Amino acid sequence: MTMLANIADIVRENWLLLLIGQYPNGPVGGIVATLMLSALGIGLAFPLGVVLALASLSPWRALRWPVFALIYLARGIPLLLIILWVYFLLPVLIGRNVPGFVTMLVTLSIYQAAFISEIVRSGIQALPRGQMDAARALGHSHLSAMRWVVLPQALFNTIPSILSQFVSTIKDTTLGYVINVPELTFAAGQINNRLLTKPFEVYAILAVAYFIVCWTLTWFAHELERRIAASRTNVTAAGGASLSPARAATAEV
Amino acid sequence: MEASRPEMIGFNAVNKFYGSLAALVDVTEQVGRGEVVVVCGPSGSGKSTLIRTVNRLEEIHSGSIAFDGRDVHAAMSSSQLNRLRSRIGFVFQSFNLFPHLSALENVMLSPVRVNGTPRAEAREKALALLDRVGLSAKRDSFPSQLSGGQQQRVAIARALAMEPPAMLFDEPTSALDPEMIGEVLSVMRGLAGDGMTMMCVTHEMAFARDVADRVWFMDEGRIVETAPPDDFFGRPQHPRAQRFLSELRVR
Protein backbone atom coordinates (compact mmCIF):
# COMPACT_ATOMS: atom_id res chain seq x y z
CA MET A 1 0.00 0.00 0.00
CA THR A 2 2.89 2.36 0.64
CA MET A 3 3.69 2.17 -3.02
CA LEU A 4 0.19 3.27 -4.00
CA ALA A 5 0.46 6.05 -1.45
CA ASN A 6 3.78 7.07 -2.95
CA ILE A 7 2.26 7.13 -6.41
CA ALA A 8 -0.60 9.26 -5.15
CA ASP A 9 1.89 11.65 -3.56
CA ILE A 10 3.94 11.91 -6.74
CA VAL A 11 0.84 12.63 -8.80
CA ARG A 12 -0.40 15.20 -6.24
CA GLU A 13 2.88 17.05 -6.20
CA ASN A 14 3.59 16.89 -9.94
CA TRP A 15 0.19 16.82 -11.62
CA LEU A 16 0.68 20.13 -13.35
CA LEU A 17 4.06 19.08 -14.78
CA LEU A 18 2.57 15.75 -15.92
CA LEU A 19 -0.38 17.59 -17.43
CA ILE A 20 1.16 20.56 -19.26
CA GLY A 21 4.92 20.45 -18.60
CA GLN A 22 6.49 23.77 -17.69
CA TYR A 23 3.92 25.83 -19.55
CA PRO A 24 3.52 28.86 -19.40
CA ASN A 25 7.17 29.22 -18.41
CA GLY A 26 8.19 26.95 -21.25
CA PRO A 27 6.64 25.09 -24.15
CA VAL A 28 3.49 23.04 -23.59
CA GLY A 29 4.51 19.62 -22.32
CA GLY A 30 3.27 16.64 -20.38
CA ILE A 31 0.30 14.61 -21.48
CA VAL A 32 -1.13 17.59 -23.34
CA ALA A 33 1.96 17.62 -25.56
CA THR A 34 1.72 13.85 -26.00
CA LEU A 35 -1.93 14.15 -27.01
CA MET A 36 -1.20 17.05 -29.36
CA LEU A 37 1.69 15.17 -30.95
CA SER A 38 -0.42 12.02 -31.28
CA ALA A 39 -3.47 13.77 -32.69
CA LEU A 40 -1.52 15.88 -35.14
CA GLY A 41 0.70 12.91 -36.04
CA ILE A 42 -2.26 10.67 -36.79
CA GLY A 43 -4.13 13.55 -38.44
CA LEU A 44 -1.24 14.12 -40.83
CA ALA A 45 -0.11 10.51 -41.28
CA PHE A 46 -3.53 9.13 -42.21
CA PRO A 47 -4.38 11.38 -45.18
CA LEU A 48 -0.74 11.29 -46.28
CA GLY A 49 -0.80 7.49 -46.07
CA VAL A 50 -3.91 7.33 -48.26
CA VAL A 51 -2.32 9.65 -50.82
CA LEU A 52 0.88 7.57 -50.78
CA ALA A 53 -1.18 4.39 -51.26
CA LEU A 54 -2.89 5.90 -54.31
CA ALA A 55 0.51 6.97 -55.65
CA SER A 56 1.95 3.49 -55.08
CA LEU A 57 -0.86 2.08 -57.25
CA SER A 58 -0.43 4.70 -59.94
CA PRO A 59 0.46 3.65 -63.49
CA TRP A 60 3.24 6.28 -63.45
CA ARG A 61 6.64 5.22 -62.20
CA ALA A 62 7.48 8.77 -61.18
CA LEU A 63 4.73 8.51 -58.55
CA ARG A 64 5.32 4.90 -57.52
CA TRP A 65 9.05 4.84 -56.99
CA PRO A 66 9.43 7.62 -54.42
CA VAL A 67 6.73 5.93 -52.34
CA PHE A 68 8.46 2.57 -52.42
CA ALA A 69 11.79 4.23 -51.59
CA LEU A 70 10.15 5.85 -48.55
CA ILE A 71 8.60 2.55 -47.48
CA TYR A 72 11.92 0.74 -47.71
CA LEU A 73 13.60 3.45 -45.66
CA ALA A 74 10.88 3.37 -43.01
CA ARG A 75 11.03 -0.40 -42.82
CA GLY A 76 14.78 -0.63 -42.77
CA ILE A 77 15.80 2.10 -40.34
CA PRO A 78 14.71 2.44 -36.70
CA LEU A 79 12.55 5.47 -36.06
CA LEU A 80 14.94 6.61 -33.33
CA LEU A 81 17.76 6.91 -35.87
CA ILE A 82 15.62 8.83 -38.33
CA ILE A 83 14.61 11.25 -35.58
CA LEU A 84 18.24 11.84 -34.61
CA TRP A 85 19.18 12.37 -38.24
CA VAL A 86 16.43 14.86 -38.88
CA TYR A 87 17.17 16.59 -35.57
CA PHE A 88 20.84 17.12 -36.37
CA LEU A 89 20.76 17.42 -40.15
CA LEU A 90 17.65 19.43 -40.93
CA PRO A 91 18.81 22.67 -39.24
CA VAL A 92 22.12 22.41 -41.12
CA LEU A 93 20.37 21.83 -44.42
CA ILE A 94 17.82 24.63 -44.15
CA GLY A 95 20.04 26.98 -42.17
CA ARG A 96 17.73 27.66 -39.26
CA ASN A 97 16.62 26.09 -36.03
CA VAL A 98 13.67 23.71 -36.02
CA PRO A 99 11.74 23.25 -32.77
CA GLY A 100 11.91 19.69 -31.42
CA PHE A 101 8.15 19.41 -31.50
CA VAL A 102 8.04 20.17 -35.22
CA THR A 103 10.94 17.79 -35.94
CA MET A 104 9.17 15.04 -34.06
CA LEU A 105 5.79 15.70 -35.65
CA VAL A 106 7.04 15.77 -39.23
CA THR A 107 9.28 12.72 -38.85
CA LEU A 108 6.64 10.69 -37.07
CA SER A 109 3.92 11.61 -39.59
CA ILE A 110 5.96 10.65 -42.63
CA TYR A 111 7.27 7.47 -40.98
CA GLN A 112 3.79 6.30 -39.99
CA ALA A 113 2.32 7.36 -43.33
CA ALA A 114 4.66 4.91 -45.05
CA PHE A 115 3.22 2.01 -43.05
CA ILE A 116 -0.36 3.24 -43.35
CA SER A 117 0.06 3.47 -47.12
CA GLU A 118 0.98 -0.21 -47.26
CA ILE A 119 -2.07 -1.13 -45.20
CA VAL A 120 -4.35 0.95 -47.43
CA ARG A 121 -2.74 -0.45 -50.57
CA SER A 122 -3.38 -4.01 -49.40
CA GLY A 123 -6.99 -3.05 -48.62
CA ILE A 124 -7.47 -1.62 -52.10
CA GLN A 125 -5.88 -4.59 -53.81
CA ALA A 126 -7.94 -7.06 -51.81
CA LEU A 127 -11.18 -5.72 -53.32
CA PRO A 128 -12.57 -7.59 -56.33
CA ARG A 129 -11.49 -6.04 -59.62
CA GLY A 130 -15.14 -5.84 -60.62
CA GLN A 131 -15.68 -2.91 -58.24
CA MET A 132 -13.29 -0.70 -60.17
CA ASP A 133 -14.57 -2.06 -63.50
CA ALA A 134 -18.16 -1.27 -62.57
CA ALA A 135 -17.30 2.26 -61.47
CA ARG A 136 -15.28 2.95 -64.62
CA ALA A 137 -18.04 1.47 -66.80
CA LEU A 138 -20.44 3.97 -65.22
CA GLY A 139 -18.13 6.80 -66.25
CA HIS A 140 -16.29 7.54 -63.00
CA SER A 141 -12.74 8.80 -63.34
CA HIS A 142 -10.03 6.79 -61.59
CA LEU A 143 -10.00 9.19 -58.63
CA SER A 144 -13.79 9.39 -58.45
CA ALA A 145 -13.99 5.59 -58.41
CA MET A 146 -11.38 5.52 -55.64
CA ARG A 147 -13.18 8.20 -53.63
CA TRP A 148 -16.72 6.86 -53.84
CA VAL A 149 -16.36 3.14 -54.46
CA VAL A 150 -12.95 1.71 -53.57
CA LEU A 151 -11.70 3.66 -50.56
CA PRO A 152 -14.94 3.53 -48.52
CA GLN A 153 -14.64 -0.25 -48.67
CA ALA A 154 -10.87 -0.59 -48.42
CA LEU A 155 -10.53 1.79 -45.45
CA PHE A 156 -13.37 0.12 -43.59
CA ASN A 157 -11.88 -3.33 -44.14
CA THR A 158 -8.47 -2.21 -42.86
CA ILE A 159 -9.67 -0.42 -39.70
CA PRO A 160 -8.03 -3.01 -37.38
CA SER A 161 -4.60 -2.64 -39.01
CA ILE A 162 -4.88 1.13 -39.29
CA LEU A 163 -5.87 1.27 -35.63
CA SER A 164 -2.71 -0.64 -34.68
CA GLN A 165 -0.70 1.89 -36.61
CA PHE A 166 -2.45 4.78 -34.85
CA VAL A 167 -1.73 3.23 -31.46
CA SER A 168 1.90 2.71 -32.39
CA THR A 169 2.01 6.39 -33.44
CA ILE A 170 0.94 7.35 -29.93
CA LYS A 171 3.58 5.11 -28.38
CA ASP A 172 6.27 6.39 -30.73
CA THR A 173 5.76 9.94 -29.45
CA THR A 174 7.80 8.79 -26.43
CA LEU A 175 10.86 8.96 -28.68
CA GLY A 176 10.52 12.74 -28.59
CA TYR A 177 12.25 12.32 -25.24
CA VAL A 178 15.65 11.91 -26.95
CA ILE A 179 15.43 15.27 -28.71
CA ASN A 180 14.05 17.04 -25.65
CA VAL A 181 10.44 17.35 -26.77
CA PRO A 182 8.81 17.95 -23.36
CA GLU A 183 6.05 15.36 -23.72
CA LEU A 184 4.81 12.99 -21.04
CA THR A 185 7.83 10.66 -20.96
CA PHE A 186 10.11 13.69 -20.72
CA ALA A 187 8.11 15.06 -17.79
CA ALA A 188 8.28 11.69 -16.06
CA GLY A 189 12.03 11.66 -16.61
CA GLN A 190 12.33 15.06 -14.97
CA ILE A 191 10.35 13.87 -11.97
CA ASN A 192 12.38 10.70 -11.69
CA ASN A 193 15.62 12.65 -11.85
CA ARG A 194 14.44 14.86 -9.05
CA LEU A 195 13.17 12.06 -6.77
CA LEU A 196 15.91 9.57 -7.66
CA THR A 197 14.57 6.85 -5.35
CA LYS A 198 11.17 6.07 -6.86
CA PRO A 199 11.65 4.99 -10.50
CA PHE A 200 9.09 2.19 -10.27
CA GLU A 201 6.36 4.50 -9.04
CA VAL A 202 7.14 7.21 -11.59
CA TYR A 203 7.21 4.86 -14.54
CA ALA A 204 4.09 3.05 -13.34
CA ILE A 205 2.27 6.38 -13.61
CA LEU A 206 3.67 6.75 -17.10
CA ALA A 207 2.57 3.26 -18.16
CA VAL A 208 -0.96 3.75 -16.84
CA ALA A 209 -1.25 7.11 -18.61
CA TYR A 210 -0.23 5.64 -21.99
CA PHE A 211 -2.45 2.64 -21.47
CA ILE A 212 -5.47 4.85 -20.88
CA VAL A 213 -4.79 6.97 -23.97
CA CYS A 214 -4.26 3.96 -26.23
CA TRP A 215 -7.21 2.07 -24.80
CA THR A 216 -9.47 5.07 -25.39
CA LEU A 217 -8.45 5.24 -29.02
CA THR A 218 -8.98 1.50 -29.44
CA TRP A 219 -12.42 1.75 -27.92
CA PHE A 220 -13.30 4.64 -30.16
CA ALA A 221 -12.13 2.77 -33.27
CA HIS A 222 -14.14 -0.32 -32.37
CA GLU A 223 -17.19 1.84 -31.81
CA LEU A 224 -16.68 3.50 -35.20
CA GLU A 225 -16.26 0.12 -36.86
CA ARG A 226 -19.41 -1.19 -35.23
CA ARG A 227 -21.43 1.83 -36.28
CA ILE A 228 -20.27 1.72 -39.88
CA ALA A 229 -20.95 -2.02 -40.06
CA ALA A 230 -24.43 -1.46 -38.66
CA SER A 231 -25.12 1.35 -41.09
CA ARG A 232 -24.16 -0.87 -44.00
CA THR A 233 -26.47 -3.73 -43.15
CA ASN A 234 -29.52 -1.88 -41.98
CA VAL A 235 -32.68 -3.72 -42.92
CA THR A 236 -35.13 -1.80 -40.81
CA ALA A 237 -37.83 0.24 -42.49
CA ALA A 238 -36.73 3.28 -44.44
CA GLY A 239 -35.62 6.22 -42.35
CA GLY A 240 -33.93 4.49 -39.43
CA ALA A 241 -30.79 3.84 -41.40
CA SER A 242 -30.19 7.35 -42.62
CA LEU A 243 -30.25 8.82 -39.12
CA SER A 244 -27.04 7.13 -38.02
CA PRO A 245 -24.24 9.70 -37.87
CA ALA A 246 -21.53 7.20 -38.82
CA ARG A 247 -23.35 6.47 -41.99
CA ALA A 248 -23.88 10.08 -42.82
CA ALA A 249 -20.14 10.56 -42.56
CA THR A 250 -18.98 7.52 -44.46
CA ALA A 251 -21.62 6.09 -46.72
CA GLU A 252 -23.18 9.28 -47.95
CA VAL A 253 -23.55 9.27 -51.72
CA MET B 1 -27.53 -5.17 -89.58
CA GLU B 2 -30.94 -4.82 -91.02
CA ALA B 3 -30.85 -2.26 -93.77
CA SER B 4 -33.48 -0.03 -92.17
CA ARG B 5 -31.58 0.59 -88.92
CA PRO B 6 -28.92 3.23 -88.47
CA GLU B 7 -25.80 1.96 -86.69
CA MET B 8 -25.41 2.14 -82.89
CA ILE B 9 -22.34 -0.04 -82.38
CA GLY B 10 -19.96 -0.82 -85.22
CA PHE B 11 -16.97 -3.17 -85.14
CA ASN B 12 -14.56 -2.64 -87.99
CA ALA B 13 -11.76 -5.19 -88.54
CA VAL B 14 -11.15 -5.52 -84.81
CA ASN B 15 -8.19 -7.63 -83.67
CA LYS B 16 -6.99 -8.34 -80.18
CA PHE B 17 -4.32 -10.65 -78.80
CA TYR B 18 -3.35 -12.00 -75.42
CA GLY B 19 0.31 -12.64 -76.14
CA SER B 20 0.30 -15.02 -79.06
CA LEU B 21 -3.32 -16.04 -78.46
CA ALA B 22 -5.75 -14.32 -80.82
CA ALA B 23 -8.73 -13.20 -78.73
CA LEU B 24 -10.57 -11.34 -81.48
CA VAL B 25 -9.93 -11.88 -85.18
CA ASP B 26 -11.11 -9.50 -87.89
CA VAL B 27 -14.43 -8.77 -86.23
CA THR B 28 -16.59 -6.61 -88.48
CA GLU B 29 -20.25 -6.32 -87.52
CA GLN B 30 -22.84 -3.72 -86.62
CA VAL B 31 -25.57 -3.43 -84.04
CA GLY B 32 -28.39 -1.23 -85.30
CA ARG B 33 -30.36 1.28 -83.25
CA GLY B 34 -33.05 -0.55 -81.31
CA GLU B 35 -31.65 -3.89 -82.31
CA VAL B 36 -31.19 -6.74 -79.83
CA VAL B 37 -28.17 -8.89 -80.59
CA VAL B 38 -27.37 -12.04 -78.65
CA VAL B 39 -23.76 -13.17 -78.77
CA CYS B 40 -23.23 -16.85 -78.12
CA GLY B 41 -20.54 -19.43 -78.59
CA PRO B 42 -18.38 -21.87 -76.67
CA SER B 43 -16.43 -20.67 -73.67
CA GLY B 44 -13.19 -18.98 -74.60
CA SER B 45 -14.54 -17.93 -77.99
CA GLY B 46 -14.11 -14.22 -77.24
CA LYS B 47 -17.68 -13.19 -76.42
CA SER B 48 -16.90 -11.39 -73.16
CA THR B 49 -13.75 -9.88 -74.60
CA LEU B 50 -15.76 -8.54 -77.53
CA ILE B 51 -18.41 -6.90 -75.38
CA ARG B 52 -15.80 -5.40 -73.04
CA THR B 53 -14.07 -3.71 -75.96
CA VAL B 54 -17.20 -1.66 -76.66
CA ASN B 55 -16.72 0.50 -73.54
CA ARG B 56 -12.95 0.01 -73.60
CA LEU B 57 -12.66 -2.07 -70.46
CA GLU B 58 -10.48 -4.05 -72.89
CA GLU B 59 -8.13 -2.44 -75.38
CA ILE B 60 -7.86 -3.61 -78.99
CA HIS B 61 -4.76 -3.93 -81.14
CA SER B 62 -6.14 -2.96 -84.53
CA GLY B 63 -9.37 -1.92 -86.16
CA SER B 64 -11.94 0.45 -84.72
CA ILE B 65 -15.18 0.38 -82.75
CA ALA B 66 -17.81 3.06 -83.09
CA PHE B 67 -20.46 3.75 -80.47
CA ASP B 68 -23.23 6.12 -81.45
CA GLY B 69 -20.91 7.68 -84.03
CA ARG B 70 -17.91 8.06 -81.68
CA ASP B 71 -14.67 6.12 -82.22
CA VAL B 72 -14.25 4.44 -78.81
CA HIS B 73 -10.61 3.42 -79.23
CA ALA B 74 -9.37 6.67 -80.77
CA ALA B 75 -6.78 8.66 -78.84
CA MET B 76 -8.75 10.76 -76.35
CA SER B 77 -8.37 12.35 -72.95
CA SER B 78 -9.45 10.28 -69.99
CA SER B 79 -12.32 12.68 -69.31
CA GLN B 80 -13.60 12.17 -72.85
CA LEU B 81 -13.41 8.42 -72.34
CA ASN B 82 -15.25 8.74 -69.02
CA ARG B 83 -18.00 10.73 -70.68
CA LEU B 84 -18.29 8.16 -73.44
CA ARG B 85 -18.41 5.27 -70.95
CA SER B 86 -21.10 7.00 -68.92
CA ARG B 87 -23.35 6.65 -71.98
CA ILE B 88 -22.77 2.91 -72.41
CA GLY B 89 -24.81 0.79 -70.02
CA PHE B 90 -22.90 -2.28 -68.87
CA VAL B 91 -24.16 -5.19 -66.79
CA PHE B 92 -21.65 -7.68 -65.38
CA GLN B 93 -21.89 -11.41 -64.78
CA SER B 94 -20.98 -10.89 -61.12
CA PHE B 95 -23.32 -7.86 -60.64
CA ASN B 96 -20.55 -5.78 -59.04
CA LEU B 97 -22.94 -3.77 -56.92
CA PHE B 98 -21.17 -1.49 -54.45
CA PRO B 99 -21.60 -3.38 -51.16
CA HIS B 100 -21.21 -0.33 -48.91
CA LEU B 101 -24.20 1.40 -50.50
CA SER B 102 -27.90 0.57 -50.34
CA ALA B 103 -29.77 -0.38 -53.49
CA LEU B 104 -31.04 3.18 -53.84
CA GLU B 105 -27.57 4.65 -53.27
CA ASN B 106 -26.08 2.27 -55.81
CA VAL B 107 -28.46 3.62 -58.43
CA MET B 108 -28.00 7.27 -57.38
CA LEU B 109 -24.21 7.35 -57.03
CA SER B 110 -23.13 7.87 -60.62
CA PRO B 111 -25.83 10.34 -61.71
CA VAL B 112 -24.84 12.48 -58.70
CA ARG B 113 -21.06 12.06 -58.79
CA VAL B 114 -20.45 11.74 -62.53
CA ASN B 115 -23.21 13.82 -64.07
CA GLY B 116 -23.72 16.26 -61.22
CA THR B 117 -27.45 15.60 -61.07
CA PRO B 118 -29.00 17.21 -57.97
CA ARG B 119 -29.60 14.60 -55.26
CA ALA B 120 -33.36 15.07 -55.07
CA GLU B 121 -33.73 14.62 -58.80
CA ALA B 122 -31.39 11.60 -58.87
CA ARG B 123 -33.30 10.05 -55.99
CA GLU B 124 -36.61 10.52 -57.77
CA LYS B 125 -35.26 8.88 -60.90
CA ALA B 126 -33.56 6.06 -58.98
CA LEU B 127 -36.81 5.24 -57.20
CA ALA B 128 -38.61 5.09 -60.54
CA LEU B 129 -35.93 2.77 -61.92
CA LEU B 130 -36.06 0.49 -58.89
CA ASP B 131 -39.80 0.37 -59.40
CA ARG B 132 -39.26 -0.54 -63.03
CA VAL B 133 -37.13 -3.55 -62.05
CA GLY B 134 -39.64 -4.46 -59.35
CA LEU B 135 -37.52 -3.60 -56.31
CA SER B 136 -39.06 -0.47 -54.78
CA ALA B 137 -39.47 -2.35 -51.53
CA LYS B 138 -35.76 -3.15 -51.39
CA ARG B 139 -34.44 0.36 -51.85
CA ASP B 140 -32.82 0.53 -48.41
CA SER B 141 -31.42 -2.99 -48.52
CA PHE B 142 -27.72 -3.53 -48.99
CA PRO B 143 -26.39 -5.88 -51.69
CA SER B 144 -25.49 -8.54 -49.11
CA GLN B 145 -29.17 -8.65 -48.14
CA LEU B 146 -30.40 -9.22 -51.69
CA SER B 147 -30.61 -12.44 -53.69
CA GLY B 148 -28.50 -12.77 -56.82
CA GLY B 149 -31.46 -12.05 -59.05
CA GLN B 150 -32.33 -8.94 -57.05
CA GLN B 151 -28.73 -7.74 -57.14
CA GLN B 152 -28.61 -8.10 -60.90
CA ARG B 153 -31.88 -6.17 -61.27
CA VAL B 154 -30.42 -3.36 -59.14
CA ALA B 155 -27.32 -3.48 -61.35
CA ILE B 156 -29.53 -3.05 -64.42
CA ALA B 157 -31.30 -0.09 -62.78
CA ARG B 158 -27.90 1.39 -61.90
CA ALA B 159 -26.79 1.18 -65.53
CA LEU B 160 -30.10 2.65 -66.75
CA ALA B 161 -29.73 5.60 -64.37
CA MET B 162 -27.08 7.05 -66.69
CA GLU B 163 -29.68 7.01 -69.50
CA PRO B 164 -27.53 5.10 -71.95
CA PRO B 165 -28.70 4.79 -75.56
CA ALA B 166 -27.55 1.15 -75.52
CA MET B 167 -27.03 -1.59 -72.94
CA LEU B 168 -24.37 -4.28 -72.92
CA PHE B 169 -24.93 -7.47 -70.93
CA ASP B 170 -21.99 -9.77 -70.19
CA GLU B 171 -23.52 -13.12 -69.20
CA PRO B 172 -26.02 -11.44 -66.87
CA THR B 173 -27.59 -14.69 -65.66
CA SER B 174 -24.60 -17.05 -65.57
CA ALA B 175 -23.90 -16.50 -61.88
CA LEU B 176 -27.53 -16.98 -60.84
CA ASP B 177 -29.39 -19.91 -59.36
CA PRO B 178 -31.85 -21.30 -61.92
CA GLU B 179 -34.95 -19.99 -60.14
CA MET B 180 -33.63 -16.42 -60.29
CA ILE B 181 -32.78 -16.33 -63.97
CA GLY B 182 -36.37 -15.67 -65.01
CA GLU B 183 -36.77 -12.41 -63.08
CA VAL B 184 -33.63 -10.94 -64.67
CA LEU B 185 -34.57 -12.06 -68.16
CA SER B 186 -38.03 -10.58 -67.78
CA VAL B 187 -36.51 -7.18 -66.94
CA MET B 188 -34.34 -7.52 -70.04
CA ARG B 189 -37.35 -8.48 -72.13
CA GLY B 190 -39.08 -5.35 -70.91
CA LEU B 191 -36.11 -3.23 -71.94
CA ALA B 192 -36.03 -4.80 -75.38
CA GLY B 193 -39.76 -4.19 -75.69
CA ASP B 194 -39.16 -0.49 -74.96
CA GLY B 195 -36.82 -0.34 -77.94
CA MET B 196 -33.49 -0.34 -76.08
CA THR B 197 -30.48 -1.25 -78.20
CA MET B 198 -28.98 -4.32 -76.56
CA MET B 199 -25.93 -6.47 -77.04
CA CYS B 200 -26.08 -9.49 -74.83
CA VAL B 201 -23.65 -12.33 -74.22
CA THR B 202 -25.75 -15.18 -72.87
CA HIS B 203 -26.29 -18.90 -72.84
CA GLU B 204 -30.05 -18.45 -72.45
CA MET B 205 -31.17 -19.79 -75.79
CA ALA B 206 -34.87 -19.35 -75.04
CA PHE B 207 -34.19 -15.65 -74.44
CA ALA B 208 -32.26 -15.45 -77.71
CA ARG B 209 -35.08 -17.12 -79.56
CA ASP B 210 -37.79 -14.84 -78.12
CA VAL B 211 -36.07 -11.49 -77.88
CA ALA B 212 -33.08 -11.29 -80.20
CA ASP B 213 -33.29 -9.71 -83.62
CA ARG B 214 -30.08 -11.47 -84.53
CA VAL B 215 -27.73 -14.04 -83.02
CA TRP B 216 -23.98 -13.78 -83.49
CA PHE B 217 -22.12 -17.02 -83.08
CA MET B 218 -18.47 -16.74 -82.12
CA ASP B 219 -15.69 -19.31 -82.27
CA GLU B 220 -11.98 -18.77 -81.63
CA GLY B 221 -12.28 -15.00 -81.70
CA ARG B 222 -14.26 -14.77 -84.92
CA ILE B 223 -17.92 -14.13 -85.55
CA VAL B 224 -18.55 -17.12 -87.77
CA GLU B 225 -22.31 -16.81 -88.20
CA THR B 226 -24.92 -14.10 -87.82
CA ALA B 227 -28.57 -14.88 -88.39
CA PRO B 228 -32.06 -14.15 -87.10
CA PRO B 229 -32.79 -16.56 -84.24
CA ASP B 230 -35.22 -18.69 -86.24
CA ASP B 231 -32.59 -19.33 -88.88
CA PHE B 232 -29.80 -19.76 -86.38
CA PHE B 233 -31.63 -22.30 -84.26
CA GLY B 234 -33.49 -23.96 -87.16
CA ARG B 235 -30.79 -24.06 -89.85
CA PRO B 236 -27.34 -23.25 -88.44
CA GLN B 237 -24.87 -22.97 -91.32
CA HIS B 238 -21.44 -23.18 -89.71
CA PRO B 239 -20.36 -26.67 -88.59
CA ARG B 240 -19.13 -25.29 -85.25
CA ALA B 241 -22.53 -23.70 -84.66
CA GLN B 242 -24.28 -26.95 -85.54
CA ARG B 243 -22.15 -28.82 -83.03
CA PHE B 244 -22.66 -26.14 -80.37
CA LEU B 245 -26.44 -26.30 -80.74
CA SER B 246 -26.61 -30.08 -80.78
CA GLU B 247 -24.56 -30.17 -77.57
CA LEU B 248 -26.98 -27.69 -76.00
CA ARG B 249 -29.91 -29.88 -76.93
CA VAL B 250 -28.29 -32.96 -75.42
CA ARG B 251 -27.89 -31.02 -72.19
Side-chain angles (χ1 to χ4, degrees):
Chain A
M1 286 324 281
T2 51
M3 184 174 285
L4 281 181
N6 285 342
I7 288 177
D9 282 344
I10 294 171
V11 170
R12 195 175 316 120
E13 281 155 26
N14 297 283
W15 64 272
L16 200 59
L17 183 66
L18 287 168
L19 194 64
I20 58 171
Q22 279 154 342
Y23 188 81
N25 302 319
V28 174
I31 198 164
V32 170
T34 292
L35 290 176
M36 277 168 53
L37 205 48
S38 302
L40 289 172
I42 290 170
L44 289 174
F46 180 61
L48 182 60
V50 173
V51 169
L52 291 178
L54 295 182
S56 74
L57 290 167
S58 149
W60 297 298
R61 251 179 259 171
L63 285 180
R64 277 199 318 266
W65 284 13
V67 179
F68 288 126
L70 177 69
I71 290 166
Y72 275 91
L73 280 179
R75 278 200 189 125
I77 302 174
L79 177 57
L80 180 60
L81 270 187
I82 302 178
I83 291 167
L84 290 173
W85 263 4
V86 174
Y87 181 68
F88 289 117
L89 276 183
L90 196 62
V92 177
L93 288 177
I94 65 173
R96 46 175 290 197
N97 257 346
V98 183
F101 186 90
V102 174
T103 302
M104 189 59 204
L105 177 62
V106 171
T107 311
L108 186 60
S109 302
I110 294 174
Y111 180 82
Q112 293 294 347
F115 291 100
I116 290 172
S117 82
E118 282 292 86
I119 295 171
V120 174
R121 184 169 71 90
S122 72
I124 291 172
Q125 288 182 321
L127 288 183
R129 233 206 98 72
Q131 291 291 308
M132 188 48 122
D133 278 354
R136 299 309 300 270
L138 284 160
H140 289 265
S141 68
H142 180 79
L143 283 182
S144 171
M146 281 288 177
R147 167 66 184 86
W148 301 109
V149 174
V150 174
L151 283 178
Q153 298 179 61
L155 293 181
F156 173 71
N157 293 342
T158 51
I159 284 178
S161 306
I162 289 177
L163 171 64
S164 302
Q165 214 57 47
F166 284 180
V167 169
S168 103
T169 306
I170 295 176
K171 291 191 280 198
D172 285 348
T173 60
T174 54
L175 293 175
Y177 179 68
V178 300
I179 56 169
N180 297 324
V181 179
E183 39 71 70
L184 185 57
T185 307
F186 188 85
Q190 285 178 308
I191 297 168
N192 187 47
N193 288 344
R194 187 148 38 77
L195 299 177
L196 286 176
T197 55
K198 300 196 173 61
F200 180 84
E201 288 86 342
V202 170
Y203 289 112
I205 296 170
L206 194 57
V208 169
Y210 280 110
F211 186 86
I212 291 172
V213 172
C214 294
W215 182 85
T216 307
L217 178 67
T218 306
W219 178 86
F220 180 76
H222 285 157
E223 189 60 18
L224 180 72
E225 193 179 1
R226 198 187 57 75
R227 282 187 176 215
I228 295 174
S231 78
R232 290 181 181 180
T233 50
N234 205 320
V235 262
T236 53
S242 53
L243 294 175
S244 145
R247 178 191 194 174
T250 57
E252 180 197 343
V253 177
Chain B
M1 179 172 60
E2 294 158 47
S4 58
R5 297 184 196 268
E7 174 185 287
M8 178 63 82
I9 304 168
F11 300 90
N12 185 20
V14 172
N15 282 279
K16 178 180 175 67
F17 307 92
Y18 291 117
S20 61
L21 178 81
L24 297 175
V25 183
D26 284 332
V27 173
T28 299
E29 261 305 332
Q30 286 80 37
V31 180
R33 251 167 235 278
E35 192 179 20
V36 176
V37 166
V38 162
V39 185
C40 66
S43 90
S45 59
K47 310 177 298 280
S48 286
T49 304
L50 181 71
I51 204 166
R52 286 169 65 94
T53 60
V54 177
N55 68 353
R56 209 165 159 175
L57 284 179
E58 297 278 354
E59 296 290 339
I60 60 175
H61 291 103
S62 67
S64 65
I65 298 173
F67 181 87
D68 203 11
R70 294 286 310 277
D71 184 349
V72 178
H73 289 264
M76 63 176 84
S77 71
S78 51
S79 67
Q80 284 173 313
L81 179 58
N82 294 337
R83 212 168 311 132
L84 188 52
R85 277 178 173 150
S86 74
R87 301 188 58 243
I88 307 176
F90 199 101
V91 175
F92 296 84
Q93 177 177 355
S94 48
F95 331 134
N96 296 346
L97 286 186
F98 306 135
H100 60 301
L101 301 178
S102 69
L104 179 63
E105 290 165 337
N106 262 278
V107 181
M108 286 172 63
L109 178 72
S110 303
V112 172
R113 295 299 167 194
V114 175
N115 292 345
T117 309
R119 283 185 63 85
E121 188 186 329
R123 187 183 151 86
E124 198 91 348
K125 229 173 64 183
L127 287 171
L129 284 167
L130 285 176
D131 188 44
R132 185 168 170 190
V133 300
L135 289 172
S136 304
K138 297 287 183 184
R139 63 184 191 185
D140 291 317
S141 297
F142 285 77
S144 60
Q145 298 161 331
L146 298 173
S147 72
Q150 291 169 335
Q151 288 188 54
Q152 193 62 297
R153 281 146 69 198
V154 173
I156 292 172
R158 180 177 70 175
L160 289 172
M162 300 301 279
E163 299 182 339
M167 290 280 287
L168 312 177
F169 294 85
D170 185 8
E171 304 205 27
T173 57
S174 301
L176 295 175
D177 291 337
E179 73 268 24
M180 291 168 186
I181 290 174
E183 62 192 64
V184 172
L185 291 180
S186 95
V187 168
M188 291 169 64
R189 280 198 174 87
L191 274 179
D194 294 344
M196 176 64 80
T197 305
M198 290 165 59
M199 185 173 166
C200 181
V201 175
T202 184
H203 299 295
E204 294 300 324
M205 291 304 140
F207 175 79
R209 209 187 292 264
D210 297 349
V211 180
D213 295 302
R214 276 190 307 153
V215 176
W216 298 358
F217 179 79
M218 289 189 75
D219 187 41
E220 295 184 341
R222 297 170 192 273
I223 298 179
V224 296
E225 181 160 350
T226 73
D230 286 349
D231 293 344
F232 179 75
F233 291 109
R235 297 172 293 282
Q237 303 297 307
H238 195 276
R240 190 67 189 82
Q242 291 166 357
R243 201 163 85 231
F244 178 76
L245 287 172
S246 70
E247 278 162 9
L248 277 184
R249 277 188 206 104
V250 171
R251 204 183 60 180

